[in-house]
């Protein structure tokens, strides 16, 4: 066992644990907090939906620019770690700001919410671009990169699903202890911020870059060229955007599903625990599956699992067993695709270096958070749509939601993601060509000093 390899795998992977906890709380449950804890009005819900979609699109467009800043950075600590640290601190402060109740309402609340959410988004961008931009610099070996990616995604999903499982019982318990549900959410957010900063410190202290390439000094005006001429990156990005848009729609509406469709909010935590085990098992099994199937074959299998899972979900009715089966199918497929998409984009670093004669880790990997934010925007839009067309946003009690409202809700939650996930598979098949053989050829040419530029 090589201690240096394991140090990198674990210190980088564990860095995702706390950050995905904080990210999940805001990206998945912010709307729930606003509508079910602060009880904002229906008109405010519509305005917040527009703000979230607009802000996430705006913030996503900033990701490539942050990638240029990171790639151009020269410091004694390297080009990644200074930005990881700065982003983490600002991100933690903004997270607390989101869940502080100032007792304001109306236009004043909407202005405060917009400003704090903007700070949160910018801080997230700073941290996310620099953190994931480091991945291709940790190894050029395809298998080692996959090992690092598997550990990182396992840790990230441990963080995400620990929040999914704990959010309802933890906020209620803390709320009971502190005297209000709102304070319970604030205390939970504070705990996640502490964990985020602690785990990020492991990455800052122990992760070591293995691929040493001088800072690219990419001018901002060449940003479009760096991304636009990397055709494989564009194909991978398009496929990932469609898939994540569908996935975020399903997961963001999950807590509403159990409250208003299944009509047992407490069951959400049980369901989330099943999904957590499923997704983590899927990620852990990926290296074994990889021994027998090529990446594209795994991608097709995973897509079919997701689509079948959504179909089963539609017909699950009130059976928790059938709902659980649907979740296992969906999240097993999602685990494989989540890791594959990260690898597809990471491999585009070497492709871009071969094609353009310049290595841009952070600009290339900036596409991943761009996609997550854009898919969050898509998901937020569909969440708002589902709440409005189903009548949930105006319901005072669960029984206020009619059968027609439930059908409309399920259509947004399940049918739209089916279309997006199928489109993702088609996009990748049409244009992405960086399979194992082609990547090895490009790497050999780079090691021989050859490029197509």
């Amino acid at each position: 066992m090589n201690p240096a390899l394991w140090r990198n795998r674990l210190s980088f992977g564990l860095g995702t644990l706390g950050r995905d906890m904080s990210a999940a709380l805001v990206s998945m449950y912010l709307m729930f907090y606003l509508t079910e804890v602060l009880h904002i009005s229906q008109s405010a819900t519509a305005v917040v939906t527009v703000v979230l979609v607009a802000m996430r699109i705006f913030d996503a467009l900033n990701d490539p620019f942050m990638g240029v800043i990171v790639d151009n950075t020269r410091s004694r600590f390297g080009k990644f770690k200074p930005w990881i640290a700065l982003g983490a601190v600002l991100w933690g402060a903004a997270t607390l700001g989101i869940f502080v109740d100032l007792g304001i309402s109306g236009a004043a609340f909407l202005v405060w919410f917009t400003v704090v959410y903007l700070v949160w988004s910018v801080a997230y961008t700073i941290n996310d671009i620099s953190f994931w931009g480091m991945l291709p610099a940790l190894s050029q070996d395809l298998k080692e990169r996959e090992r690092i990616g598997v550990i990182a995604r396992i840790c990230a999903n441990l963080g995400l699903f620990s929040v999914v499982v704990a959010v309802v019982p933890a906020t209620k318990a803390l709320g009971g202890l502190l005297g209000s549900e709102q304070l319970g959410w604030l205390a939970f957010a504070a705990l996640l911020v502490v964990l985020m900063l602690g785990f990020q410190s492991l990455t800052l202290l122990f992760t070591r870059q293995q691929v040493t390439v001088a800072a690219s000094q990419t001018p901002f005006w060449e940003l479009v060229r760096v991304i636009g001429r990397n055709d494989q990156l564009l194909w991978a990005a398009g496929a990932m955007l469609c898939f994540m848009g569908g996935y975020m729609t399903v997961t963001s509406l999950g807590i509403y599903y159990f409250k208003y469709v299944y009509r047992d909010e407490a069951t959400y935590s049980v369901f989330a625990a099943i999904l957590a085990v499923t997704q983590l098992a899927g990620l852990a099994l990926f290296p074994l599956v990889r021994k027998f199937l090529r990446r594209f074959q795994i991608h097709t299998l995973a897509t079919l699992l997701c689509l079948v899972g959504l179909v089963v979900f539609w017909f699950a009715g009130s059976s928790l067993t059938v709902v659980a089966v649907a979740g296992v199918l969906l999240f097993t497929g999602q685990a494989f695709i989540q890791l594959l998409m990260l690898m597809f984009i990471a491999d585009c670093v070497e492709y871009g270096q071969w094609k353009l004669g310049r290595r841009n880790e952070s600009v290339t990997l900036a596409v991943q958070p761009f996609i997550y934010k854009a898919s969050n925007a898509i998901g937020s839009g569909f969440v708002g749509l589902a709440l409005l067309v189903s009548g949930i946003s105006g319901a005072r009690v669960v029984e206020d939601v009619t059968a027609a409202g439930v059908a409309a809700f399920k259509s947004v939650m399940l049918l739209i993601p089916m279309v997006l996930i199928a489109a993702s598979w088609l996009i990748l098949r049409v244009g992405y060509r960086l399979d194992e053989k082609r990547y090895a050829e490009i790497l050999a040419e780079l090691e021989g000093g050859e490029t197509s530029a």
Side-chain angles (χ1 to χ4, degrees):
M1 183 177 73
N2 188 324
L5 289 178
W6 275 102
R7 181 192 64 200
N8 260 13
R9 294 170 189 171
L10 292 176
S11 61
F12 183 80
L14 288 171
T16 68
L17 191 57
R19 68 187 304 280
D20 273 59
M21 289 179 177
S22 295
L25 183 66
V26 174
S27 63
M28 295 179 66
Y29 300 109
L30 176 57
M31 185 67 85
F32 184 83
Y33 168 76
L34 295 174
T35 58
E36 307 298 315
V37 178
L38 293 188
H39 300 291
I40 63 174
S41 66
Q42 189 169 10
S43 60
T45 299
V47 174
V48 166
T49 298
V50 173
V51 169
L52 286 176
V53 173
M55 293 283 287
R56 285 172 177 172
I57 292 175
F58 170 77
D59 190 43
L61 294 175
N62 292 330
D63 288 348
F65 292 95
M66 188 65 215
V68 171
I69 293 173
V70 174
D71 276 339
N72 289 348
T73 297
R74 292 182 178 179
S75 79
R76 57 177 295 198
F77 301 106
K79 63 182 182 179
F80 303 110
K81 291 185 178 181
W83 296 109
I84 292 174
L86 175 63
V89 172
L90 291 177
W91 185 9
T95 299
L96 296 178
I98 287 175
F99 291 97
V100 170
D101 184 7
L102 299 179
I104 57 178
S105 60
F109 166 78
L110 293 174
V111 170
W112 167 256
F113 172 79
T114 302
V115 171
V116 174
Y117 187 78
L118 175 61
V119 175
W120 186 93
S121 298
V122 171
Y124 178 88
T125 294
I126 293 171
N127 180 270
D128 210 40
I129 299 300
S130 51
F131 184 87
W132 287 109
M134 188 188 294
L135 175 61
L138 300 181
S139 179
Q140 283 186 319
D141 179 79
L142 208 62
K143 294 293 185 181
E144 178 59 21
R145 190 176 283 180
E146 288 178 359
R147 293 185 190 101
I148 296 171
V150 165
I151 293 174
R153 293 317 312 173
I154 287 176
C155 290
N157 282 283
L158 274 172
L160 185 152
F161 278 104
S162 65
V163 171
V164 172
V165 171
V167 63
V168 173
T171 54
K172 288 185 179 300
L174 290 169
L177 184 65
L178 297 173
S180 77
E181 191 175 6
Q182 188 278 323
L183 287 177
W185 278 79
L186 176 59
F188 189 56
L191 173 62
L192 299 188
V193 167
V194 171
L195 291 173
M196 183 266 287
L197 294 175
F199 283 111
Q200 285 279 280
S201 297
L202 297 179
T203 300
L204 295 171
L205 293 172
F206 299 111
T207 303
R208 298 290 183 269
Q209 185 174 331
Q210 302 299 315
V211 181
T212 304
V213 179
S216 66
Q217 297 304 303
T218 303
F220 279 101
W221 56 84
E222 289 195 18
L223 179 60
V224 174
R225 175 177 177 269
V226 170
I227 296 177
R229 289 190 60 193
N230 193 326
D231 56 294
Q232 295 302 289
L233 178 62
L234 295 178
W235 284 109
M240 188 176 180
L241 179 61
C242 284
F243 178 82
M244 289 304 300
Y247 171 71
M248 288 304 300
T249 299
V250 176
T251 54
S252 297
L253 288 169
I255 192 168
Y256 289 100
Y257 176 90
F258 279 92
K259 182 172 183 177
Y260 290 97
V261 180
Y262 192 78
R263 304 207 169 184
D264 184 358
E265 186 179 355
T267 307
Y268 177 72
S269 294
V270 178
F271 179 71
I274 295 172
L275 298 190
V277 172
T278 298
Q279 193 167 65
L280 293 172
L283 290 168
L285 287 172
F286 182 87
L288 177 62
V289 177
R290 186 72 172 82
K291 291 181 179 179
F292 301 97
L293 298 175
R294 297 189 303 274
R295 284 181 172 182
F296 282 2
Q297 292 173 323
I298 297 174
H299 183 255
T300 297
L301 172 63
T303 301
L304 289 174
L305 288 174
C306 289
L307 293 175
V308 172
L310 290 171
V311 172
V312 174
F313 214 137
W314 180 272
F315 294 103
S318 60
S319 172
L320 181 59
T321 301
V322 179
V323 170
V325 169
V328 168
L329 291 170
L330 174 62
F331 279 78
T332 299
Q334 191 275 337
F336 287 166
I337 292 177
Q338 182 185 66
L339 181 59
L340 285 171
M341 289 296 184
L342 175 60
M343 294 300 105
F344 290 153
I345 290 176
D347 292 349
C348 291
V349 171
E350 283 74 28
Y351 177 78
Q353 184 181 357
W354 171 80
K355 185 172 183 179
L356 305 175
R358 177 189 290 131
R359 186 178 178 87
N360 291 100
E361 292 112 334
S362 294
V363 171
T364 303
L365 268 293
V367 170
Q368 182 188 234
F370 168 87
I371 291 167
Y372 278 122
K373 291 172 186 177
S375 63
N376 259 317
I378 293 171
S380 295
F382 285 132
V383 167
L385 176 64
L387 299 183
L388 293 171
V389 299
S390 65
I392 289 176
S393 62
R396 292 184 177 273
V397 294
V398 172
E399 290 73 19
D400 287 345
V401 180
T402 64
V406 168
F409 177 89
K410 289 173 65 177
S411 296
V412 177
M413 180 179 174
L414 302 174
L415 294 183
I416 291 175
M418 286 184 200
V419 174
L420 291 173
I421 290 171
S424 172
W425 180 88
L426 183 61
I427 290 170
L428 203 70
R429 283 298 172 277
V430 168
Y432 192 79
R433 298 289 179 264
L434 284 182
D435 58 11
E436 292 87 339
K437 179 181 177 182
R438 182 60 186 139
Y439 179 83
E441 292 171 352
I442 288 174
L443 200 60
E445 290 183 28
L446 288 174
E447 290 174 350
E450 299 178 38
T451 68
S452 69

